[in-house]
Amino acid sequence: MLPTITWENDVVVMIDQRKLPQKEVYLKLRSVEQVALAIENMTIRGAPAIGLAAAYGLALATHQVKSEKNLDETFEKAYERLWRTRPTARNLFWALERMKRVFNKNRKQGLEALKDVLLAEAKKMDMEDLAMNMKIGEYGQRLVSDGDTILTHCNAGGLATAGYGTALGVIRAAVAHGKRIKVLSDETRPLLQGARLTCWELQREGIPVTLITDNMAGYLMKKGEISLVVVGADRIALNGDTANKIGTYSAAILAREHHLPFYVAAPLSTFDFSIKTGEAIPIEERQSNEVRKIGGKLITVADIQVRNPAFDVTPARLISGIITEHGLLRPPFGPAIKKIAGG
Ligand code: MRU
């Protein structure tokens, strides 16, 4: 299992995903500011993993409080700081809200008890995420046949979660069931999560993976070399519209054109039950230099104007199914999502 993020000796430890696959470096984060920066600069990324980092960040902030009188202000400041790190992944806000509910519920117990309770809650979320991913994998693998080639985009793997993955969880589970499958990984410009992270993750487990650039999928679909597409999600609206890494929408359109199934794999913590459609999902715009450079090396005119939306929204009509820990949701997604939301 991948050690995406852990708590060790009163510090938050995470693998530095910016350095992979060349170097396996583990960072010790000793302040909530360091955790917030790690989320912003993508040391840790992927919707569920960002949520876990935020939860551990709040536990860390509380752990460092020396006097009861500073507790509320410290917690609130940490909460606000983490809230502003990245705007699109629902899991970040879901995790922060959950930690705040636990804080409020246990506030009267005092500082020392709260330190334990918040850390225990962050660890519980970590374990739950792993368990949810495994369930998603189990439900999802039923959609995969022996001999299939699966296209995936970005990294929705162990590194993006507590350690098993959503889209890659489906792939791992299919392999565990003895299905002989192949994976095509989009490189996923600009930050190359597919090339750097998905390829690294799958290869170290011996799962056959082939890297393609983002513009090759259509050609390979036309040639019949792709059987289905499975991706993760950053935020899913009530109607099933799904925000995921930029380029996911293009993959979904290509899949529709070629009559291929297109599946989204995500836990309930990625659903935003407060928004009706994907129109309301905030899309992060990141720094221009991420597009101007590859691996820190300038590949264009130094001051060229750049657009860098980090996510796009795939409309529900292009999605064949959403694989959750509660099972596979089929279109129309509205009633199915309401049901799992408990409404
Ligand atoms: O910008 P990133 O790397 O955080 O974007 C990640 C993705 O888009 C993933 O596909 C998504 O978070 C699903 S992770 C299980």
Side-chain angles (χ1 to χ4, degrees):
M1 215 53 83
L2 280 165
T4 312
I5 181 165
T6 51
W7 176 276
E8 265 174 42
N9 303 325
D10 294 351
V11 297
V12 176
V13 181
M14 57 178 72
I15 190 163
D16 188 343
Q17 300 196 26
R18 299 167 304 173
K19 302 256 167 31
L20 288 171
Q22 280 81 16
K23 286 183 191 151
E24 263 181 65
V25 177
Y26 291 86
L27 299 178
K28 288 185 175 159
L29 308 185
R30 299 174 196 281
S31 69
V32 70
E33 181 57 25
Q34 286 182 347
V35 174
L37 287 172
I39 298 173
E40 284 170 350
N41 68 25
M42 317 253 303
T43 299
I44 189 161
R45 34 62 54 203
I50 292 171
L52 293 175
Y56 280 118
L58 283 180
L60 182 66
T62 311
H63 231 76
Q64 292 171 340
V65 175
K66 297 268 182 303
S67 151
E68 181 95 29
K69 67 177 189 318
N70 300 327
L71 178 58
D72 297 287
E73 196 192 340
T74 304
F75 185 87
E76 200 50 41
K77 271 195 180 153
Y79 184 90
E80 292 299 324
R81 176 67 184 95
L82 291 162
W83 189 276
R84 283 184 286 106
T85 48
R86 294 192 72 189
T88 304
R90 169 66 195 146
N91 309 62
L92 171 71
F93 309 103
W94 172 88
L96 289 170
E97 285 163 356
R98 176 164 160 178
M99 291 293 278
K100 193 175 212 167
R101 277 197 301 277
V102 171
F103 179 88
N104 289 336
K105 192 170 162 220
N106 294 279
R107 179 63 189 89
K108 285 204 180 79
Q109 291 187 38
L111 179 58
E112 292 312 313
L114 260 176
K115 287 182 182 178
D116 293 343
V117 167
L118 288 180
L119 179 56
E121 190 67 16
K123 287 183 175 172
K124 190 169 166 221
M125 285 158 77
D126 208 339
M127 302 289 288
E128 283 175 8
D129 189 64
L130 196 58
M132 287 182 310
N133 283 192
M134 293 181 112
K135 279 192 181 160
I136 289 171
E138 202 44 47
Y139 285 120
Q141 66 81 23
R142 296 177 193 167
L143 305 164
V144 179
S145 304
D146 193 33
D148 275 352
T149 298
I150 303 175
L151 175 73
T152 192
H153 190 70
C154 193
N155 172 266
L159 290 165
T161 62
Y164 190 73
T166 53
L168 296 198
V170 171
I171 287 162
R172 284 192 164 94
V175 170
H177 277 264
K179 293 174 188 171
R180 286 158 299 178
I181 56 168
K182 289 185 191 138
V183 179
L184 282 175
S185 170
D186 278 343
E187 67 173 351
T188 320
R189 270 285 280 152
L191 293 180
L192 306 173
Q193 290 92 329
R196 296 185 303 104
L197 309 176
T198 295
C199 289
W200 178 75
E201 257 197 71
L202 294 180
Q203 204 175 57
R204 74 200 280 273
E205 275 180 49
I207 298 175
V209 55
T210 301
L211 174 64
I212 59 171
T213 62
D214 297 336
N215 47 5
M216 292 176 184
Y219 170 75
L220 295 176
M221 284 182 184
K222 190 151 188 252
K223 285 186 51 122
E225 292 187 28
I226 295 175
S227 327
L228 71 158
V229 183
V230 185
V231 296
D234 286 83
R235 197 186 289 231
I236 302 174
L238 272 176
N239 70 343
D241 287 354
T242 296
N244 192 49
K245 179 53 55 192
I246 192 78
T248 303
Y249 173 50
S250 315
I253 289 179
L254 286 172
R256 177 57 52 93
E257 170 68 19
H258 296 91
H259 311 291
L260 297 175
F262 180 95
Y263 293 109
V264 170
L268 230 61
S269 50
T270 303
F271 287 75
D272 188 341
F273 302 118
S274 74
I275 57 169
K276 289 200 176 95
T277 75
E279 287 289 311
I281 300 177
I283 299 295
E284 178 181 17
E285 289 265 350
R286 292 185 60 87
Q287 293 170 26
S288 311
N289 272 344
E290 291 180 353
V291 176
R292 290 194 193 107
K293 296 179 178 182
I294 296 184
K297 196 171 180 298
L298 191 67
I299 53 149
T300 180
V301 184
D303 59 352
I304 195 76
Q305 208 164 344
V306 157
R307 283 295 309 277
N308 189 11
F311 300 94
D312 56 30
V313 177
T314 299
R317 67 184 161 76
L318 297 178
I319 300 171
S320 316
I322 305 177
I323 311 157
T324 75
E325 67 271 35
H326 296 279
L328 174 68
L329 313 185
R330 288 280 191 192
F333 295 113
I337 293 175
K338 270 209 183 103
K339 202 168 159 200
I340 55 166

